[in-house]
Amino acid sequence: MKRKPSTEATGAWIRLMRIQSRVLGAVEQELKKAGFPPLAWYDALVELSRAPSGELRPVELEKQMLIPQYSTSRLIDRLVEEGLAARHECKMDKRGQFVEITEAGRELQKRMGSAYSAAIEKHVGCKLSDADAARLCALLDRLGCSCDAVQAAGKDAAAAR
């Protein structure tokens, strides 16, 4: 017989889902109030800017962002339409393509990074000590989340300030 989660584990799950939804919604609202596009745009631009040549295959971007393929395709379309990214075919595999961040995309990412950092501080940073945040990262790591990537994103956001 399979073990059922304890009341405490179920409570942790519910809190994790609720806080993720609330904080993400609050951060999205902060960006919207500042006149920026959705957070997914920033996430995509960050992933593209981190790539060694500033470009990724759409499937690589999808894996980095952990969103469905159809959402990634639409997001890429919007970024290209706005001049924040460009598509070009792979020289070795003419069927494949790359998405590359443009200078306009890099500039938007930097501007959004400041607003994003402020929102993170407002909705998370000022509510947790650094020690509490480190403990939370350690607990989430035990669930399979790697804070290494999160810390790199935090450093990027801090550098944008």
Side-chain angles (χ1 to χ4, degrees), residues 51-127:
S53 58
E55 65 183 18
L56 292 170
R57 289 183 181 261
V59 70
E60 294 169 325
L61 184 60
E62 176 188 334
K63 286 178 187 174
Q64 295 291 82
M65 294 187 58
L66 303 174
I67 61 176
Q69 185 274 327
Y70 64 87
S71 294
T72 306
S73 295
R74 279 187 268 173
L75 176 59
I76 291 169
D77 288 345
R78 290 184 186 112
L79 294 174
V80 169
E81 286 170 18
E82 294 294 324
L84 304 171
R87 281 191 181 99
H88 59 89
E89 71 179 23
C90 176
K91 291 175 177 62
M92 295 172 63
D93 173 9
K94 300 289 186 190
R95 294 174 299 157
Q97 63 175 243
F98 283 95
V99 179
E100 180 177 19
I101 190 169
T102 64
E103 283 305 313
R106 288 183 192 280
E107 180 57 35
L108 177 63
Q109 178 217 333
K110 287 177 187 168
R111 289 194 332 260
M112 284 183 80
S114 296
Y116 191 23
S117 291
I120 292 169
E121 178 58 24
K122 178 179 179 180
H123 299 286
V124 178
C126 73
K127 296 175 182 179

Side-chain angles (χ1 to χ4, degrees), residues 123-141:
H123 299 286
V124 178
C126 73
K127 296 175 182 179
L128 298 173
S129 69
D130 288 346
D132 287 341
R135 279 192 294 279
L136 181 57
C137 280
L139 288 169
L140 293 171
D141 283 351

